[in-house]
Amino acid sequence: MSTVSTTRAPARAVRTTDPRPRKSKRRQVRERQWPAYVFLSPWMIGAVVLTFVPMAVSLYLSFTDYNLFDPPRWVGLRNYQEMLTEDPRYWRSVGTTMLYVVVAVPLKLGLALGVAMLLKNLSRGRGFYRSAFYAPSLLGASMSIALVWKALFNDGGTVAGVLDTVGIHTGGWVGNPHLAVYGVVLLTVWQFGAPMVIFLAGLQQISPDLYEAAALDGAGRWRQFMSITVPMLSPVVFFNLVLEVINSFQVFTPAFAISGGDGSPADSTMFYTLYLYERGFTASHMGYAAAMAWLLLIAIGAITLILFRTSRSWVFYADEEGR
């Protein structure tokens, strides 16, 4: 009886060589990204043509004397020097705008937060009231609403009549240099719908368990608001604050409509953007207006940076350890 031993031949490693050259990783990434650039190209072209090029031209014009009819004449820092040292109306416009920002932004955010808290606890009709309160945000920036607002606060208007019936004699707000700016403030505060919707979304993200635990520990509503609502809602407050501050520095339409475009009475409604418009399109001093626009951009950027810096001490993020 014979045994047959079979030995399996070792498998030979077969090296397969790809005749095609291997693409570098960077080239593969570029090939995957080019469809995204194709879809983004309309926006990128628009950003360059409609934003970056006009900004570069505006920066150049801020160093020139340009009146729309003659070629620009280079004057260096003359526009900035005149603005900061020789133009009292410029500083009045800065003061009026700062007063508006300091008064309007806190009032608007406070009212938006209060209404959002009421709607959060509303069991029926929340959608209706949310839409009703949001509607002024859609309409308030229009010229027609600003003109209606002017009629309400004008001499003999509805507001003056109502205040007279309760013994408060203010006359027309529009013609009073001490009250005209507050008419613009009230028009802005009336448009609290957009931050209200954002506040409402933030309030709905806070767990009810936190309030139940605090109530079991004996915390009242004010303590719950200060210890739970405010810290948990601080990122939303910060978001709304930044948006409202930036928008408030650019207020134009209400001031133009209520003052008739000239900042009357007695420059009490001469906001920064309104004075910029007057210098550029009424006085045809485009170089000066361009310099004003760049200083406004720098001021808004600086204030926004300060807000971000200070937010580290009062904005609470749940995913950050130790806070």
Side-chain angles (χ1 to χ4, degrees):
M1 185 175 184
S2 64
T3 61
V4 179
S5 62
T6 61
T7 58
R8 182 175 296 178
R12 300 177 58 184
V14 179
R15 299 182 59 183
T16 59
T17 57
D18 190 349
R20 295 175 297 180
R22 300 187 62 181
K23 298 179 181 177
S24 65
K25 187 175 182 180
R26 181 176 300 177
R27 184 177 177 184
Q28 293 176 2
V29 171
R30 284 202 302 265
E31 289 181 354
R32 287 197 300 267
Q33 289 179 344
W34 74 264
Y37 288 114
V38 171
F39 284 105
L40 286 173
S41 58
W43 182 88
M44 297 171 69
I45 293 173
V48 171
V49 175
L50 301 177
T51 302
F52 296 122
V53 172
M55 286 182 66
V57 174
S58 171
L59 181 60
Y60 165 71
L61 291 178
S62 70
F63 298 103
T64 66
D65 182 10
Y66 180 50
N67 60 8
L68 288 176
F69 302 104
D70 299 323
R73 184 172 58 88
W74 183 266
V75 295
L77 295 175
R78 175 61 187 166
N79 289 327
Y80 294 94
Q81 180 183 0
E82 178 183 350
M83 188 189 317
L84 298 176
T85 62
E86 303 173 12
D87 190 354
R89 293 192 77 195
Y90 171 80
W91 287 110
R92 279 200 295 273
S93 69
V94 172
T96 302
T97 304
M98 292 299 297
L99 172 65
Y100 168 81
V101 173
V102 170
V103 176
V105 172
L107 287 178
K108 186 176 183 180
L109 293 183
L111 182 60
L113 178 59
V115 175
M117 295 185 68
L118 292 176
L119 292 182
K120 175 179 176 290
N121 298 322
L122 202 63
S123 58
R124 300 179 61 182
R126 181 187 302 175
F128 169 77
Y129 288 109
R130 183 172 53 195
S131 303
F133 286 125
Y134 185 75
S137 296
L138 301 176
L139 304 174
S142 65
M143 180 62 78
S144 58
I145 295 297
L147 292 175
V148 171
W149 206 262
K150 180 180 180 180
L152 290 174
F153 286 87
N154 212 339
D155 294 341
T158 304
V159 175
V162 172
L163 292 178
D164 283 342
T165 58
V166 296
I168 302 176
H169 307 288
T170 60
W173 289 34
V174 175
N176 189 332
H178 301 291
L179 297 177
V181 65
Y182 295 104
V184 183
V185 169
L186 290 180
L187 176 56
T188 300
V189 174
W190 179 60
Q191 306 166 42
F192 64 90
M196 179 208 69
V197 172
I198 300 174
F199 277 135
L200 184 59
L203 288 171
Q204 292 174 339
Q205 298 302 315
I206 301 176
S207 174
D209 296 340
L210 297 176
Y211 294 103
E212 294 176 2
L216 291 175
D217 290 340
R221 290 187 176 276
W222 177 251
R223 182 62 183 273
Q224 293 179 23
F225 174 77
M226 295 302 297
S227 300
I228 299 176
T229 304
V230 172
M232 297 299 289
L233 203 62
S234 58
V236 181
V237 174
F238 175 66
F239 177 77
N240 276 331
L241 178 63
V242 172
L243 288 185
E244 293 301 327
V245 168
I246 293 175
N247 290 332
S248 296
F249 273 103
Q250 304 174 65
V251 60
F252 175 77
T253 303
F256 184 90
I258 291 177
S259 69
D262 57 1
S264 61
D267 281 349
S268 60
T269 57
M270 182 57 79
F271 287 82
Y272 194 98
T273 52
L274 186 60
Y275 188 49
L276 188 156
Y277 171 83
E278 180 187 275
R279 297 293 293 173
F281 294 96
T282 303
S284 298
H285 198 162
M286 297 302 294
Y288 193 92
M292 286 187 64
W294 274 98
L295 281 191
L296 177 62
L297 177 64
I298 293 172
I300 292 176
I303 292 174
T304 304
L305 180 61
I306 292 173
L307 290 176
F308 270 90
R309 292 281 185 176
T310 56
S311 67
R312 298 174 181 175
S313 62
W314 62 273
V315 178
F316 173 80
Y317 294 100
D319 57 345
E320 291 187 356
E321 295 183 356
R323 300 191 60 178

mmCIF file with all atom_site columns, all heavy atoms in Angstrom, residues 303-318:
data_model
loop_
_atom_site.group_PDB
_atom_site.id
_atom_site.type_symbol
_atom_site.label_atom_id
_atom_site.label_alt_id
_atom_site.label_comp_id
_atom_site.label_asym_id
_atom_site.label_entity_id
_atom_site.label_seq_id
_atom_site.pdbx_PDB_ins_code
_atom_site.Cartn_x
_atom_site.Cartn_y
_atom_site.Cartn_z
_atom_site.occupancy
_atom_site.B_iso_or_equiv
_atom_site.pdbx_formal_charge
_atom_site.auth_seq_id
_atom_site.auth_comp_id
_atom_site.auth_asym_id
_atom_site.auth_atom_id
_atom_site.pdbx_PDB_model_num
ATOM 1   N N   . ILE A 1 303 ? -16.906 97.414  18.237 1.00 0.00 ? 303 ILE A N   1
ATOM 2   C CA  . ILE A 1 303 ? -17.919 97.115  19.260 1.00 0.00 ? 303 ILE A CA  1
ATOM 3   C C   . ILE A 1 303 ? -18.286 95.632  19.243 1.00 0.00 ? 303 ILE A C   1
ATOM 4   O O   . ILE A 1 303 ? -18.471 95.012  20.295 1.00 0.00 ? 303 ILE A O   1
ATOM 5   C CB  . ILE A 1 303 ? -19.157 98.005  19.033 1.00 0.00 ? 303 ILE A CB  1
ATOM 6   C CG1 . ILE A 1 303 ? -18.801 99.461  19.313 1.00 0.00 ? 303 ILE A CG1 1
ATOM 7   C CG2 . ILE A 1 303 ? -20.324 97.564  19.901 1.00 0.00 ? 303 ILE A CG2 1
ATOM 8   C CD1 . ILE A 1 303 ? -19.896 100.440 18.999 1.00 0.00 ? 303 ILE A CD1 1
ATOM 9   N N   . THR A 1 304 ? -18.377 95.062  18.062 1.00 0.00 ? 304 THR A N   1
ATOM 10  C CA  . THR A 1 304 ? -18.656 93.621  17.968 1.00 0.00 ? 304 THR A CA  1
ATOM 11  C C   . THR A 1 304 ? -17.533 92.811  18.614 1.00 0.00 ? 304 THR A C   1
ATOM 12  O O   . THR A 1 304 ? -17.791 91.819  19.321 1.00 0.00 ? 304 THR A O   1
ATOM 13  C CB  . THR A 1 304 ? -18.838 93.215  16.502 1.00 0.00 ? 304 THR A CB  1
ATOM 14  O OG1 . THR A 1 304 ? -19.867 94.019  15.904 1.00 0.00 ? 304 THR A OG1 1
ATOM 15  C CG2 . THR A 1 304 ? -19.219 91.755  16.399 1.00 0.00 ? 304 THR A CG2 1
ATOM 16  N N   . LEU A 1 305 ? -16.301 93.226  18.387 1.00 0.00 ? 305 LEU A N   1
ATOM 17  C CA  . LEU A 1 305 ? -15.171 92.529  19.007 1.00 0.00 ? 305 LEU A CA  1
ATOM 18  C C   . LEU A 1 305 ? -15.232 92.631  20.529 1.00 0.00 ? 305 LEU A C   1
ATOM 19  O O   . LEU A 1 305 ? -14.975 91.652  21.242 1.00 0.00 ? 305 LEU A O   1
ATOM 20  C CB  . LEU A 1 305 ? -13.861 93.125  18.485 1.00 0.00 ? 305 LEU A CB  1
ATOM 21  C CG  . LEU A 1 305 ? -12.568 92.506  19.035 1.00 0.00 ? 305 LEU A CG  1
ATOM 22  C CD1 . LEU A 1 305 ? -12.487 91.024  18.662 1.00 0.00 ? 305 LEU A CD1 1
ATOM 23  C CD2 . LEU A 1 305 ? -11.351 93.271  18.507 1.00 0.00 ? 305 LEU A CD2 1
ATOM 24  N N   . ILE A 1 306 ? -15.603 93.808  21.036 1.00 0.00 ? 306 ILE A N   1
ATOM 25  C CA  . ILE A 1 306 ? -15.733 93.977  22.493 1.00 0.00 ? 306 ILE A CA  1
ATOM 26  C C   . ILE A 1 306 ? -16.824 93.061  23.046 1.00 0.00 ? 306 ILE A C   1
ATOM 27  O O   . ILE A 1 306 ? -16.665 92.432  24.106 1.00 0.00 ? 306 ILE A O   1
ATOM 28  C CB  . ILE A 1 306 ? -16.026 95.454  22.824 1.00 0.00 ? 306 ILE A CB  1
ATOM 29  C CG1 . ILE A 1 306 ? -14.812 96.317  22.495 1.00 0.00 ? 306 ILE A CG1 1
ATOM 30  C CG2 . ILE A 1 306 ? -16.401 95.620  24.297 1.00 0.00 ? 306 ILE A CG2 1
ATOM 31  C CD1 . ILE A 1 306 ? -15.064 97.810  22.627 1.00 0.00 ? 306 ILE A CD1 1
ATOM 32  N N   . LEU A 1 307 ? -17.937 92.967  22.318 1.00 0.00 ? 307 LEU A N   1
ATOM 33  C CA  . LEU A 1 307 ? -19.013 92.079  22.770 1.00 0.00 ? 307 LEU A CA  1
ATOM 34  C C   . LEU A 1 307 ? -18.541 90.628  22.823 1.00 0.00 ? 307 LEU A C   1
ATOM 35  O O   . LEU A 1 307 ? -18.864 89.890  23.764 1.00 0.00 ? 307 LEU A O   1
ATOM 36  C CB  . LEU A 1 307 ? -20.222 92.218  21.844 1.00 0.00 ? 307 LEU A CB  1
ATOM 37  C CG  . LEU A 1 307 ? -20.995 93.542  21.920 1.00 0.00 ? 307 LEU A CG  1
ATOM 38  C CD1 . LEU A 1 307 ? -22.113 93.561  20.879 1.00 0.00 ? 307 LEU A CD1 1
ATOM 39  C CD2 . LEU A 1 307 ? -21.577 93.746  23.314 1.00 0.00 ? 307 LEU A CD2 1
ATOM 40  N N   . PHE A 1 308 ? -17.782 90.208  21.825 1.00 0.00 ? 308 PHE A N   1
ATOM 41  C CA  . PHE A 1 308 ? -17.286 88.823  21.831 1.00 0.00 ? 308 PHE A CA  1
ATOM 42  C C   . PHE A 1 308 ? -16.298 88.612  22.977 1.00 0.00 ? 308 PHE A C   1
ATOM 43  O O   . PHE A 1 308 ? -16.290 87.533  23.599 1.00 0.00 ? 308 PHE A O   1
ATOM 44  C CB  . PHE A 1 308 ? -16.628 88.504  20.485 1.00 0.00 ? 308 PHE A CB  1
ATOM 45  C CG  . PHE A 1 308 ? -17.585 87.956  19.472 1.00 0.00 ? 308 PHE A CG  1
ATOM 46  C CD1 . PHE A 1 308 ? -18.268 88.802  18.610 1.00 0.00 ? 308 PHE A CD1 1
ATOM 47  C CD2 . PHE A 1 308 ? -17.825 86.592  19.372 1.00 0.00 ? 308 PHE A CD2 1
ATOM 48  C CE1 . PHE A 1 308 ? -19.167 88.314  17.679 1.00 0.00 ? 308 PHE A CE1 1
ATOM 49  C CE2 . PHE A 1 308 ? -18.714 86.089  18.447 1.00 0.00 ? 308 PHE A CE2 1
ATOM 50  C CZ  . PHE A 1 308 ? -19.395 86.948  17.589 1.00 0.00 ? 308 PHE A CZ  1
ATOM 51  N N   . ARG A 1 309 ? -15.457 89.617  23.233 1.00 0.00 ? 309 ARG A N   1
ATOM 52  C CA  . ARG A 1 309 ? -14.494 89.476  24.319 1.00 0.00 ? 309 ARG A CA  1
ATOM 53  C C   . ARG A 1 309 ? -15.188 89.378  25.677 1.00 0.00 ? 309 ARG A C   1
ATOM 54  O O   . ARG A 1 309 ? -14.838 88.556  26.515 1.00 0.00 ? 309 ARG A O   1
ATOM 55  C CB  . ARG A 1 309 ? -13.534 90.678  24.305 1.00 0.00 ? 309 ARG A CB  1
ATOM 56  C CG  . ARG A 1 309 ? -12.605 90.702  23.093 1.00 0.00 ? 309 ARG A CG  1
ATOM 57  C CD  . ARG A 1 309 ? -11.452 89.764  23.252 1.00 0.00 ? 309 ARG A CD  1
ATOM 58  N NE  . ARG A 1 309 ? -10.507 89.879  22.156 1.00 0.00 ? 309 ARG A NE  1
ATOM 59  C CZ  . ARG A 1 309 ? -9.367  89.209  22.095 1.00 0.00 ? 309 ARG A CZ  1
ATOM 60  N NH1 . ARG A 1 309 ? -9.043  88.386  23.082 1.00 0.00 ? 309 ARG A NH1 1
ATOM 61  N NH2 . ARG A 1 309 ? -8.571  89.347  21.061 1.00 0.00 ? 309 ARG A NH2 1
ATOM 62  N N   . THR A 1 310 ? -16.166 90.255  25.898 1.00 0.00 ? 310 THR A N   1
ATOM 63  C CA  . THR A 1 310 ? -16.851 90.253  27.190 1.00 0.00 ? 310 THR A CA  1
ATOM 64  C C   . THR A 1 310 ? -17.801 89.068  27.345 1.00 0.00 ? 310 THR A C   1
ATOM 65  O O   . THR A 1 310 ? -18.185 88.733  28.472 1.00 0.00 ? 310 THR A O   1
ATOM 66  C CB  . THR A 1 310 ? -17.650 91.550  27.361 1.00 0.00 ? 310 THR A CB  1
ATOM 67  O OG1 . THR A 1 310 ? -18.561 91.697  26.262 1.00 0.00 ? 310 THR A OG1 1
ATOM 68  C CG2 . THR A 1 310 ? -16.725 92.759  27.378 1.00 0.00 ? 310 THR A CG2 1
ATOM 69  N N   . SER A 1 311 ? -18.179 88.438  26.228 1.00 0.00 ? 311 SER A N   1
ATOM 70  C CA  . SER A 1 311 ? -19.133 87.326  26.324 1.00 0.00 ? 311 SER A CA  1
ATOM 71  C C   . SER A 1 311 ? -18.551 86.146  27.092 1.00 0.00 ? 311 SER A C   1
ATOM 72  O O   . SER A 1 311 ? -19.296 85.313  27.615 1.00 0.00 ? 311 SER A O   1
ATOM 73  C CB  . SER A 1 311 ? -19.544 86.876  24.917 1.00 0.00 ? 311 SER A CB  1
ATOM 74  O OG  . SER A 1 311 ? -18.445 86.290  24.239 1.00 0.00 ? 311 SER A OG  1
ATOM 75  N N   . ARG A 1 312 ? -17.216 86.078  27.175 1.00 0.00 ? 312 ARG A N   1
ATOM 76  C CA  . ARG A 1 312 ? -16.604 84.951  27.887 1.00 0.00 ? 312 ARG A CA  1
ATOM 77  C C   . ARG A 1 312 ? -16.956 84.950  29.368 1.00 0.00 ? 312 ARG A C   1
ATOM 78  O O   . ARG A 1 312 ? -16.860 83.919  30.035 1.00 0.00 ? 312 ARG A O   1
ATOM 79  C CB  . ARG A 1 312 ? -15.082 85.011  27.718 1.00 0.00 ? 312 ARG A CB  1
ATOM 80  C CG  . ARG A 1 312 ? -14.632 84.891  26.266 1.00 0.00 ? 312 ARG A CG  1
ATOM 81  C CD  . ARG A 1 312 ? -13.129 85.114  26.139 1.00 0.00 ? 312 ARG A CD  1
ATOM 82  N NE  . ARG A 1 312 ? -12.703 85.030  24.748 1.00 0.00 ? 312 ARG A NE  1
ATOM 83  C CZ  . ARG A 1 312 ? -11.468 85.281  24.338 1.00 0.00 ? 312 ARG A CZ  1
ATOM 84  N NH1 . ARG A 1 312 ? -10.533 85.630  25.234 1.00 0.00 ? 312 ARG A NH1 1
ATOM 85  N NH2 . ARG A 1 312 ? -11.154 85.192  23.070 1.00 0.00 ? 312 ARG A NH2 1
ATOM 86  N N   . SER A 1 313 ? -17.332 86.109  29.890 1.00 0.00 ? 313 SER A N   1
ATOM 87  C CA  . SER A 1 313 ? -17.615 86.193  31.325 1.00 0.00 ? 313 SER A CA  1
ATOM 88  C C   . SER A 1 313 ? -19.095 86.030  31.655 1.00 0.00 ? 313 SER A C   1
ATOM 89  O O   . SER A 1 313 ? -19.434 85.873  32.832 1.00 0.00 ? 313 SER A O   1
ATOM 90  C CB  . SER A 1 313 ? -17.117 87.541  31.861 1.00 0.00 ? 313 SER A CB  1
ATOM 91  O OG  . SER A 1 313 ? -17.794 88.608  31.220 1.00 0.00 ? 313 SER A OG  1
ATOM 92  N N   . TRP A 1 314 ? -19.994 86.106  30.642 1.00 0.00 ? 314 TRP A N   1
ATOM 93  C CA  . TRP A 1 314 ? -21.407 86.019  31.004 1.00 0.00 ? 314 TRP A CA  1
ATOM 94  C C   . TRP A 1 314 ? -22.228 85.086  30.110 1.00 0.00 ? 314 TRP A C   1
ATOM 95  O O   . TRP A 1 314 ? -23.398 84.859  30.387 1.00 0.00 ? 314 TRP A O   1
ATOM 96  C CB  . TRP A 1 314 ? -22.046 87.407  30.998 1.00 0.00 ? 314 TRP A CB  1
ATOM 97  C CG  . TRP A 1 314 ? -22.034 88.108  29.667 1.00 0.00 ? 314 TRP A CG  1
ATOM 98  C CD1 . TRP A 1 314 ? -21.041 88.879  29.176 1.00 0.00 ? 314 TRP A CD1 1
ATOM 99  C CD2 . TRP A 1 314 ? -23.077 88.100  28.687 1.00 0.00 ? 314 TRP A CD2 1
ATOM 100 N NE1 . TRP A 1 314 ? -21.383 89.363  27.941 1.00 0.00 ? 314 TRP A NE1 1
ATOM 101 C CE2 . TRP A 1 314 ? -22.633 88.898  27.620 1.00 0.00 ? 314 TRP A CE2 1
ATOM 102 C CE3 . TRP A 1 314 ? -24.331 87.497  28.587 1.00 0.00 ? 314 TRP A CE3 1
ATOM 103 C CZ2 . TRP A 1 314 ? -23.391 89.109  26.472 1.00 0.00 ? 314 TRP A CZ2 1
ATOM 104 C CZ3 . TRP A 1 314 ? -25.086 87.714  27.448 1.00 0.00 ? 314 TRP A CZ3 1
ATOM 105 C CH2 . TRP A 1 314 ? -24.622 88.505  26.413 1.00 0.00 ? 314 TRP A CH2 1
ATOM 106 N N   . VAL A 1 315 ? -21.633 84.543  29.057 1.00 0.00 ? 315 VAL A N   1
ATOM 107 C CA  . VAL A 1 315 ? -22.356 83.611  28.198 1.00 0.00 ? 315 VAL A CA  1
ATOM 108 C C   . VAL A 1 315 ? -21.999 82.192  28.606 1.00 0.00 ? 315 VAL A C   1
ATOM 109 O O   . VAL A 1 315 ? -20.816 81.841  28.690 1.00 0.00 ? 315 VAL A O   1
ATOM 110 C CB  . VAL A 1 315 ? -22.023 83.849  26.710 1.00 0.00 ? 315 VAL A CB  1
ATOM 111 C CG1 . VAL A 1 315 ? -22.746 82.824  25.840 1.00 0.00 ? 315 VAL A CG1 1
ATOM 112 C CG2 . VAL A 1 315 ? -22.427 85.257  26.295 1.00 0.00 ? 315 VAL A CG2 1
ATOM 113 N N   . PHE A 1 316 ? -23.015 81.398  28.859 1.00 0.00 ? 316 PHE A N   1
ATOM 114 C CA  . PHE A 1 316 ? -22.819 80.034  29.343 1.00 0.00 ? 316 PHE A CA  1
ATOM 115 C C   . PHE A 1 316 ? -23.092 79.044  28.217 1.00 0.00 ? 316 PHE A C   1
ATOM 116 O O   . PHE A 1 316 ? -24.153 79.080  27.598 1.00 0.00 ? 316 PHE A O   1
ATOM 117 C CB  . PHE A 1 316 ? -23.779 79.740  30.503 1.00 0.00 ? 316 PHE A CB  1
ATOM 118 C CG  . PHE A 1 316 ? -23.773 78.314  30.955 1.00 0.00 ? 316 PHE A CG  1
ATOM 119 C CD1 . PHE A 1 316 ? -22.785 77.841  31.798 1.00 0.00 ? 316 PHE A CD1 1
ATOM 120 C CD2 . PHE A 1 316 ? -24.759 77.431  30.529 1.00 0.00 ? 316 PHE A CD2 1
ATOM 121 C CE1 . PHE A 1 316 ? -22.767 76.526  32.202 1.00 0.00 ? 316 PHE A CE1 1
ATOM 122 C CE2 . PHE A 1 316 ? -24.745 76.109  30.931 1.00 0.00 ? 316 PHE A CE2 1
ATOM 123 C CZ  . PHE A 1 316 ? -23.748 75.654  31.770 1.00 0.00 ? 316 PHE A CZ  1
ATOM 124 N N   . TYR A 1 317 ? -22.110 78.177  27.956 1.00 0.00 ? 317 TYR A N   1
ATOM 125 C CA  . TYR A 1 317 ? -22.292 77.102  26.982 1.00 0.00 ? 317 TYR A CA  1
ATOM 126 C C   . TYR A 1 317 ? -22.243 75.779  27.739 1.00 0.00 ? 317 TYR A C   1
ATOM 127 O O   . TYR A 1 317 ? -21.278 75.509  28.460 1.00 0.00 ? 317 TYR A O   1
ATOM 128 C CB  . TYR A 1 317 ? -21.209 77.126  25.904 1.00 0.00 ? 317 TYR A CB  1
ATOM 129 C CG  . TYR A 1 317 ? -21.297 78.365  25.034 1.00 0.00 ? 317 TYR A CG  1
ATOM 130 C CD1 . TYR A 1 317 ? -20.451 79.449  25.252 1.00 0.00 ? 317 TYR A CD1 1
ATOM 131 C CD2 . TYR A 1 317 ? -22.223 78.456  23.999 1.00 0.00 ? 317 TYR A CD2 1
ATOM 132 C CE1 . TYR A 1 317 ? -20.536 80.589  24.463 1.00 0.00 ? 317 TYR A CE1 1
ATOM 133 C CE2 . TYR A 1 317 ? -22.305 79.588  23.203 1.00 0.00 ? 317 TYR A CE2 1
ATOM 134 C CZ  . TYR A 1 317 ? -21.462 80.635  23.451 1.00 0.00 ? 317 TYR A CZ  1
ATOM 135 O OH  . TYR A 1 317 ? -21.558 81.761  22.677 1.00 0.00 ? 317 TYR A OH  1
ATOM 136 N N   . ALA A 1 318 ? -23.271 74.954  27.565 1.00 0.00 ? 318 ALA A N   1
ATOM 137 C CA  . ALA A 1 318 ? -23.404 73.740  28.359 1.00 0.00 ? 318 ALA A CA  1
ATOM 138 C C   . ALA A 1 318 ? -22.294 72.743  28.093 1.00 0.00 ? 318 ALA A C   1
ATOM 139 O O   . ALA A 1 318 ? -21.950 71.947  28.959 1.00 0.00 ? 318 ALA A O   1
ATOM 140 C CB  . ALA A 1 318 ? -24.759 73.092  28.089 1.00 0.00 ? 318 ALA A CB  1
#
